[in-house]
Amino acid sequence: MDPSLSLQSVPAWFVVLPDTDAVAAPAAKALSFASRHLLHASGRPWIVGRWDPGTAVTGAHRDTRVAVIGEHAVTSLDAERAAAAASGTASPSALDRLAGRPGTFHLMATVAGRVRIQGGVVGLRRVFHAEAATPGGPVSVASDRADVLAELVGAGLDERRIALEMLASGVPYPWHGDPLWRGVHAVPGGHRLTLDSGGRTRTTRWWSPPDPVVPLAAGAAHLKEALAEAVAVRTRGRDLVSSDLGGLDSTAVCCTAARGGAKVVAYTAAIHDEAGDDVYWAERTVRALGGVEHHIVPAREVAMTFDGIDTLRDVLDTPSILTVDRNRRMGIIELAAARGSGLHLTGLGGDELLAGTPARLHTLLLTHPFVALQAIRGYAAKYRWARRAVLRRLLDRRSYDAWLGRLARDLTGPPAPVDEPLLDWAVPPRMPPWATPDAVAAARELIRTRRTPTGPRGRDRGEHRELAAMDGISQWVRHIGQMAAPLGIAVSAPYYDARVIEAALAVRPQDRITPWRYKPLIVEAMRGVVPEASRTRSTKANATFEEEAGLRRHRRALLTLCEDSRLVRLGLADEKALREWCRRAVSAETESYQLHPTIACEVWLRSREMTPLPAADRKV
């Protein structure tokens, strides 16, 4: 495993250093791989790395420096004013106002010996920190990528943490998306990290979700405005942008971009399932909208799930279950890059934000029992929930801490039934059948010994479930961005802007989450934006056929991963059991999802060993 793979091969990364001579050694190492750097007022290195200068804005006032990197409309004058307002004060309010601007970005500031770093409210813009060994003792440094930071400080892989990544149905909060290196830590979404001049760290909250009290009509108006701002931030000044045009969420983003004056090239992928109707609705949208260049990718040209699974060499900073669909999802982005697009818009994030979760009804039952019971009856009929199971979940008032305790105990139990009411903290994940006793013990120990110090992600089951889902899916966008970066194209998800998230979560749950209407909030918000021919669409395609057919077509590639498996080497997977599972005919709805996290871990471990360094960047 090359100790500087990410430092050398990743096209975009940065490291943030405290204002002290103690970090001279890690600063020098980072500078040896970097193409850009910014300085503290003292002249010491502050931000070191590689980034597109078009994504960065800086401002200074006396000994205060402010930098913004990412998708934003912040100007140099804005940054200078923020630096002037923050200069000489311990109050974060001046910088908080800048952080509240449209877009998704990292905000860094160095003020009177203190360094502040913050990312987004969910998992799209991450911040990590670790201690670097120095002659005077450990000093903390930060980065936007865990792998870069681990290489910089010489952190080793934590095999126990890899075991937790094998969980089927997702790693629970707060471990989801955590680094897999010893001593490397993640800053939670909506929190900022502060480094003092001695390199010590402090984490504080800067964002909280709004109270859900806004009626649907007002909320739709706010969402329409916030989404328009979010899209404009990304498209402004570009000659051409590309966009997914599939389901309702991506249709809203694509139409918002087109209505805003951007030259949009839209892509729709056909699927083999005859019930999949994305192409039909996309064609109706384009005809009514006008001015959008539209490309339909025939189903025969769309990669199946598991395509190329044994040859992937993406350099990601964590395993990603998107690995199993990497070639299918990247196909359109590769076409867009070849067309000349430097920015590709996606509707990812819309499902959990706009449809929400019925778990909100768990709390709504206490405040609006009649409304909640009506909705629960509707969901029970729609999803065929058993009355006894619904009642059991509604009466369950366990804390999240207690839920984690039961999860640790039941890691090897049967998976939750597919018709289990969606009213709990989360679908309880399970270790897959091929996990070794050592893997199970490691995952169980982590869950039992490291409980979140601040409780659940949200204030109740529903808010927790939605925010945790946003953390998870926004991590997908982050991974797609890491996969796409070598192509010179950015992948952007406007639904993850803080203002968009706030506008949606502020709407009353009984208005936003209902079994009677499909995503009523975005339907109302898109009046006059999405053509009426498509605005009230209530269907959503899925790729079940692509999953099952892909498993059959690419079984040999899956079995190749079983040969000399890195997870087997680590004692985390039983090779015979895993091989037998890969040979089976499994259901895409109820079984194959158990494979995804394991494949993600296996491919990730191999990529850290086998990805060749760019010839021009190799260090001797």
Side-chain angles (χ1 to χ4, degrees), residues 110-133:
T110 171
V111 185
R114 294 182 305 278
V115 176
R116 160 178 167 156
I117 316 104
Q118 67 188 66
V121 301
V122 290
L124 187 55
R125 302 281 175 178
R126 305 293 306 278
V127 177
F128 304 94
H129 62 98
E131 291 185 340

Side-chain angles (χ1 to χ4, degrees), residues 386-422:
R387 289 185 179 180
R388 181 174 297 179
V390 170
L391 183 61
R392 183 173 64 251
R393 286 285 167 256
L394 291 176
L395 294 176
D396 185 356
R397 296 290 159 178
R398 279 178 301 164
S399 67
Y400 186 62
D401 193 64
W403 183 86
L404 285 174
R406 180 173 293 185
L407 169 63
R409 185 195 69 188
D410 296 341
L411 280 181
T412 56
V418 293
D419 59 350
E420 179 72 13
L422 306 175

Side-chain angles (χ1 to χ4, degrees), residues 64 66 77-87 94-95 98:
T64 298
V66 171
L77 181 58
D78 294 330
E80 289 173 6
R81 286 172 174 168
S87 182
L95 295 172
L98 196 62

Side-chain angles (χ1 to χ4, degrees), residues 500-519:
V500 176
I501 292 173
E502 289 168 359
L505 295 186
V507 175
R508 297 182 304 194
Q510 59 267 41
D511 292 342
R512 179 169 61 96
I513 305 160
T514 170
W516 318 116
R517 296 181 63 190
Y518 183 68
K519 297 182 179 177

Side-chain angles (χ1 to χ4, degrees), residues 20 50 65-66 96 131 152 243 280 355 368 371 403 408 429 488 529:
T20 172
R50 300 173 180 169
R65 305 287 185 270
V66 171
D96 283 344
E131 291 185 340
L152 190 67
S243 177
Y280 167 79
H368 297 80
V371 174
W403 183 86
V529 178

Side-chain angles (χ1 to χ4, degrees), residues 510-550:
Q510 59 267 41
D511 292 342
R512 179 169 61 96
I513 305 160
T514 170
W516 318 116
R517 296 181 63 190
Y518 183 68
K519 297 182 179 177
L521 178 58
I522 194 67
V523 170
E524 294 303 318
M526 288 298 102
R527 290 185 184 274
V529 178
V530 173
E532 285 302 300
S534 308
R535 185 177 63 86
T536 56
R537 173 188 176 184
S538 61
T539 59
K540 181 179 176 67
N542 68 65
T544 300
F545 179 90
E546 277 72 8
E547 170 101 11
E548 293 182 346

